[in-house]
Amino acid sequence: MSNEFFSQRKLIARYVLAAALPYFILSLALLTAILMAQQSERFAELALYAQLPFSLLGQIEAALIPNVLVFTLPMALLAAVMIGFARMGSDSEIVAMRAAGVGTWTMLWPVLFLGLIVTAGSLYINMKEAPQAARGLRRAAILGALRKLDSPVEPRTFTTEIPGYVIYVRDGNKVEGIWGRVFIFNQLPDGASRILTARSGRIDTSADKSELVLRDAVLTQVPGPATAATGQYVAERSEQFRIAFDTGRSALLTKLDQAEPEPDEMEWSDLRKAAAAGKPRDMRDAQRMLQKRLAFSFSPLVFALLGGALGLRVRRGGRGIGVLLSLGMLIAYYLVFLLGESLSRVGTVSPFVGAWMATAFMLLLSFAFLRVNRHPLSGILARSRPKNTEAKIGSTGRKRVLSGARHWGFPSLLDSGMLRTLFTSFVLGFISLVSIFIIFTLFELWRFIALNKTGIGMVAKYLLFLLPLVTVELFPATMLIAVLVTYALLAKRSEAIAWWACGQSVYRLMLPGLLFGLLAAAGIWLIQEKLMPPANVRQDSLRAAIRGGAARAITGTGRQWLGAADSNRLYSYEYDEQHQTLRDFAIYDFDSSGVHLEKVTTGEQGRWRTSNELTVEKAETITIRGLEVAREQNAQLELRGIEAPQIFKPTVDKPSQLSSRGLSDYLKSAKRRGMDVSALAVALQRKYSGPLSVMVMAFLGIPLALSFGRRGTVIALCSAVAVSLAYWGVSGGFQQLGNHGLLPPPVAGWAPPVIFAAAGTYFLARIRT
């Protein structure tokens, strides 16, 4: 008897684990991929402009994984347990088990055992791998910054990264650190300026010092406004000119060799020592980090209990209600955790209470749900539904579906049902992904929010303005999930066979999905063109305010530098947007070879008479012939051959802050200035092809679902994860090839959707049509 009893318990345990484990693996892969993509963007600019070696890029990606797994392991386990039990409840399997005498804890202990295993892994990651990853990320970021300092100037772009200097290089090799035709402007504290021009240059770096070495250099010194009448205008020529300057290299090397790690870089033993002795503030920070890691480590076990307590009460709704409940519990847990973290930072509660507040709340909920079993969670839905609904669907509904399928008209009854299912799956998936994205973003910024005492209103505004960008990024993956789930259920229930039996082809069956994809693509285009550009400007400014305590804003005024591609001229000016004039400007004319200055024209104000004629008021002209300097003043001066007015207008230069039309105009302007526009051209093509990716995901997902759907929705969702990862990888790879000029921009931008559309055509050709 006892052997039979234990055999039954093992059978039940295996069945429960088999119900939850696939969803755990699936959720872990999907959530990790999404958060890895979000975290990788933080280092994308450094990797692109610093020309980092692949080994260092690999170290960065590897160091991101532990920090992401800290969040995704408990999330995935909660979703898996809740969805598994919800599916069993909707199929009446839990009712059957209870009728057979199987108790609650008999069904719970397998998922608790799984939670214990995940907790052990989470404890190791939190205490060992996460600190090492934090140290690795800091080291990789510093090495990347040091590599960038070796040659901080991009040819045909203005650089202000060296404090006190504006540098413009017409030619050169950024990788080798060689500059050609160099212009350097240095503003002195008394208003005087020094202008250096040279035929070539480079940066020599030794230990913690940097020196700029120029060959065939001419130094022109111009007095400030206060001493313009009596000051001397001097020009000096030198075969070699050296300038020592501080690039911040010494500070970076000090950080690299820093012996004392931050609390998030300390392992278990180091945290315990720091929490026991030291300065009161450092001790409290170490105690808070220690308790935070312990709470995160044990959260999988707590989530396993909570997921089981909730999942056992689900009777209807299946996987959908499981996803909704797990999402709600995740949001509640992390909101309470952030509240406890905030109270702990200000000293209202101890670090122990603040870190474990959310865990205690989830435990109370779990035992409350286990205690109260009178009404299932889906009881309200069941009571609100007519008693004979299923009978009516079974007797007359199927006949109406089949009769609707016999007609070619659109929309038929089956079309309407599919569109409703697509919409429900899409909204549910989108809300889930956005919620996880926002939770992770909040945790990333919470240290700065607490440090700078940022108000809740500013954080809420930042998240609101972040939504358009998140929407554009997540729509393709959400569309793929929605299409795969909808058509996989269609195939599993043999409704597709009934559809084909009525004489309809698979192409007609695809029509609702493609129409839904078209509507989503139109929506993402409108968001990308109308909402996202101004929203990204605001969210970048708010993010800077949250992280640094001071708001940054892009305005229509401010000092601008412009290098003309069609002439040997550089411009420095302030642009008056209201009057369409230049103020406090200077024009630097170079010789025919573009190396040394011939003339500098300054003025208080400049107005365009025609598209290439400028009237300068209170003008001053400095003419340089060899080492002789001549100065001339005019109340009004007419200049010809000036660039068109639209080139001087300040523009937003981030592709994410521009619509496709705005980016196209900026691209043309950048070309006229002689800038390297490879990355901008690729970004423009990706804006054009971005909405198409939503359609491609729908076109690819339908044949995949019809092919694998009969094996279950889990297989379909696994296909969604694999396809999403493949699309992100291929898209990112083609983008980097295009940014480095190895592929034409149209190929880099359009190749990923074309490749995956071809894959969809291949899968479509292999199924019954």
Side-chain angles (χ1 to χ4, degrees):
M1 182 69 179
S2 60
N3 292 334
E4 183 180 353
F5 174 74
F6 285 112
S7 177
Q8 290 177 353
R9 287 175 65 93
K10 290 180 180 179
L11 182 63
I12 292 171
R14 286 198 298 266
Y15 190 82
V16 171
L17 288 176
L21 199 56
Y23 292 106
F24 173 70
I25 297 173
L26 175 66
S27 302
L28 183 63
L30 181 61
L31 295 175
T32 302
I34 291 173
L35 295 184
M36 279 291 293
Q38 188 251 6
Q39 285 291 288
S40 297
E41 292 180 0
R42 295 169 53 194
F43 298 90
E45 183 179 354
L46 178 63
L48 177 61
Y49 293 106
Q51 302 289 335
L52 298 183
F54 286 106
S55 59
L56 189 56
L57 289 175
Q59 292 176 19
I60 292 175
E61 291 297 325
L64 289 175
I65 295 176
N67 294 320
V68 171
L69 288 177
V70 166
F71 287 89
T72 57
L73 279 173
M75 287 181 180
L77 186 61
L78 175 63
V81 173
M82 201 167 290
I83 293 173
F85 276 125
R87 197 273 304 164
M88 292 171 61
S90 65
D91 293 343
S92 301
E93 294 175 359
I94 293 179
V95 175
M97 288 183 181
R98 291 190 184 279
V102 178
T104 298
W105 289 102
T106 302
M107 289 183 281
L108 277 181
W109 82 260
V111 296
L112 292 178
F113 179 72
L114 178 61
L116 193 61
I117 294 175
V118 178
T119 295
S122 179
L123 184 63
Y124 174 76
I125 292 174
N126 273 282
M127 297 303 173
K128 185 71 176 179
E129 296 298 328
Q132 290 182 0
R135 293 195 297 269
L137 280 177
R138 178 173 65 88
R139 182 177 180 82
I142 294 174
L143 289 175
L146 287 172
R147 186 179 178 88
K148 188 175 181 180
L149 288 178
D150 291 339
S151 183
V153 178
E154 186 81 25
R156 291 195 172 275
T157 58
F158 288 93
T159 300
T160 58
E161 294 184 3
I162 299 177
Y165 294 87
V166 177
I167 302 176
Y168 181 78
V169 177
R170 294 184 183 271
D171 311 305
N173 189 319
K174 178 177 172 60
V175 177
E176 297 179 1
I178 299 175
W179 302 348
R181 297 192 292 176
V182 183
F183 170 85
I184 300 175
F185 178 86
N186 177 218
Q187 186 80 49
L188 300 178
D190 60 357
S193 57
R194 301 170 65 197
I195 305 170
L196 264 169
T197 57
R199 192 170 300 276
S200 63
R202 71 178 189 276
I203 289 183
D204 282 349
T205 302
S206 60
D208 60 345
K209 297 180 180 180
S210 297
E211 196 174 41
L212 180 60
V213 181
L214 302 174
R215 295 189 180 278
D216 188 14
V218 174
L219 172 63
T220 304
Q221 300 186 37
V222 180
T227 59
T230 59
Q232 292 185 345
Y233 294 79
V234 180
E236 300 177 1
R237 194 180 192 101
S238 176
E239 182 61 29
Q240 187 180 88
F241 198 94
R242 291 179 174 267
I243 305 175
F245 55 88
D246 181 16
T247 60
R249 186 181 185 86
S250 178
L252 290 174
L253 289 173
T254 301
K255 289 183 179 180
L256 189 63
D257 299 330
Q258 181 179 350
E260 296 183 3
E262 296 292 330
D264 60 339
E265 299 173 358
M266 295 181 182
E267 297 182 9
W268 167 260
S269 57
D270 298 328
L271 274 176
R272 291 189 61 185
K273 291 178 182 177
K279 297 179 180 180
R281 182 175 180 179
D282 295 338
M283 290 175 57
R284 190 173 183 84
D285 289 343
Q287 292 170 2
R288 186 166 54 247
M289 180 58 65
L290 180 63
Q291 298 300 328
K292 176 181 176 180
R293 286 187 186 166
L294 286 173
F296 273 163
S297 299
F298 284 93
S299 61
L301 184 60
V302 176
F303 279 173
L305 178 63
L306 176 63
L310 273 174
L312 286 174
R313 303 185 65 213
V314 174
R315 297 294 182 270
R316 295 184 184 273
R319 301 172 184 86
I321 192 68
V323 172
L324 283 176
L325 289 174
S326 59
L327 178 62
M329 290 299 101
L330 282 174
I331 292 175
Y333 174 82
Y334 285 111
L335 285 179
V336 175
F337 190 92
L338 290 175
L339 175 63
E341 176 81 1
S342 179
L343 293 176
S344 174
R345 282 186 179 274
V346 298
T348 305
V349 298
S350 66
F352 177 83
V353 174
W356 290 92
M357 185 182 297
T359 304
F361 177 66
M362 292 295 112
L363 283 174
L364 288 175
L365 281 181
S366 301
F367 288 114
F369 286 131
L370 288 173
R371 185 74 176 174
V372 181
N373 283 312
R374 296 174 59 187
H375 301 291
L377 289 176
S378 49
I380 298 176
L381 296 176
R383 288 194 295 271
S384 64
R385 195 172 181 176
K387 293 182 179 180
N388 297 324
T389 300
E390 294 185 3
K392 291 180 182 179
I393 292 177
S395 60
T396 62
R398 292 176 185 171
K399 295 181 181 179
R400 292 175 61 190
V401 168
L402 293 177
S403 63
R406 293 191 182 96
H407 298 287
W408 283 88
F410 182 86
S412 67
L413 184 60
L414 184 60
D415 293 324
S416 302
M418 289 180 63
L419 287 173
R420 283 195 298 270
T421 306
L422 279 168
F423 180 78
T424 303
S425 302
F426 186 88
V427 171
L428 180 61
F430 181 71
I431 292 175
S432 302
L433 296 180
V434 168
S435 300
I436 294 168
F437 196 98
I438 288 177
I439 286 172
F440 196 81
T441 301
L442 280 175
F443 265 90
E444 182 186 1
L445 293 176
W446 193 253
R447 178 164 59 95
F448 302 101
I449 294 172
L451 183 65
N452 298 316
K453 299 180 180 180
T454 306
I456 297 178
M458 179 178 289
V459 177
K461 285 181 181 179
Y462 168 70
L463 295 178
L464 178 64
F465 287 111
L466 184 66
L467 278 179
L469 177 63
V470 176
T471 300
V472 172
E473 290 183 353
L474 295 182
F475 252 42
T478 308
M479 174 57 64
L480 180 63
I481 293 173
V483 167
L484 281 169
V485 169
T486 301
Y487 280 86
L489 290 174
L490 194 72
K492 186 178 180 181
R493 295 169 182 169
S494 300
E495 294 179 18
I497 297 176
W499 179 271
W500 294 326
C502 295
Q504 300 292 339
S505 68
V506 70
Y507 305 111
R508 177 63 180 80
L509 187 63
M510 293 173 65
L511 183 59
L514 294 179
L515 177 62
F516 188 78
L518 182 63
L519 293 175
I524 200 175
W525 174 261
L526 290 175
I527 293 172
Q528 175 185 281
E529 296 299 303
K530 302 298 182 182
L531 294 180
M532 193 174 77
N536 278 350
V537 174
R538 289 285 292 140
Q539 65 102 350
D540 280 349
S541 175
L542 290 169
R543 184 182 179 88
I546 292 172
R547 290 179 65 91
R552 294 184 302 179
I554 297 175
T555 64
T557 61
R559 200 71 184 170
Q560 307 286 325
W561 286 84
L562 171 66
D566 300 331
S567 63
N568 289 328
R569 277 180 177 159
L570 298 180
Y571 299 88
S572 173
Y573 60 93
E574 291 184 5
Y575 190 83
D576 188 339
E577 189 75 35
Q578 181 178 0
H579 300 96
Q580 304 289 308
T581 59
L582 301 181
R583 298 177 56 188
D584 189 21
F585 68 93
I587 303 174
Y588 303 92
D589 287 279
F590 290 79
D591 56 24
S592 58
S593 60
V595 176
H596 297 301
L597 284 174
E598 284 189 341
K599 185 169 58 175
V600 179
T601 304
T602 59
E604 287 189 1
Q605 184 172 277
R607 297 178 180 273
W608 276 273
R609 294 182 55 191
T610 64
S611 60
N612 63 350
E613 293 185 4
L614 189 71
T615 301
V616 183
E617 298 179 2
K618 296 183 179 179
E620 180 181 83
T621 303
I622 302 171
T623 305
I624 305 169
R625 297 184 179 90
L627 298 181
E628 295 182 1
V629 180
R631 174 173 172 262
E632 181 181 355
Q633 289 183 313
N634 301 94
Q636 194 174 74
L637 182 65
E638 301 293 333
L639 296 178
R640 294 179 175 82
I642 304 297
E643 274 63 30
Q646 59 267 21
I647 298 179
F648 290 86
K649 293 182 179 180
T651 57
V652 178
D653 59 356
K654 289 186 178 181
S656 62
Q657 298 176 353
L658 293 167
S659 64
S660 58
R661 183 174 180 180
L663 182 56
S664 178
D665 293 340
Y666 178 73
L667 180 63
K668 295 174 183 177
S669 175
K671 282 184 178 179
R672 288 195 292 267
R673 299 180 186 184
M675 293 173 56
D676 182 9
V677 296
S678 298
L680 294 175
V682 173
L684 179 62
Q685 296 300 324
R686 284 171 61 87
K687 279 187 177 291
Y688 290 146
S689 64
L692 180 64
S693 63
V694 181
M695 277 292 296
V696 170
M697 290 297 105
F699 180 72
L700 176 60
I702 293 174
L704 274 177
L706 295 177
S707 299
F708 300 108
R710 298 187 66 181
R711 304 176 187 176
T713 52
V714 175
I715 300 297
L717 289 175
C718 289
S719 303
V721 173
V723 171
S724 298
L725 290 174
Y727 189 83
W728 284 333
V730 171
S731 179
F734 274 92
Q735 181 184 10
Q736 293 302 317
L737 291 174
N739 288 344
H740 288 81
L742 300 177
L743 284 177
V747 174
W750 288 92
V754 170
I755 290 173
F756 280 80
T761 305
Y762 169 77
F763 285 113
L764 183 61
R766 292 179 59 87
I767 64 174
R768 178 183 174 184
T769 59

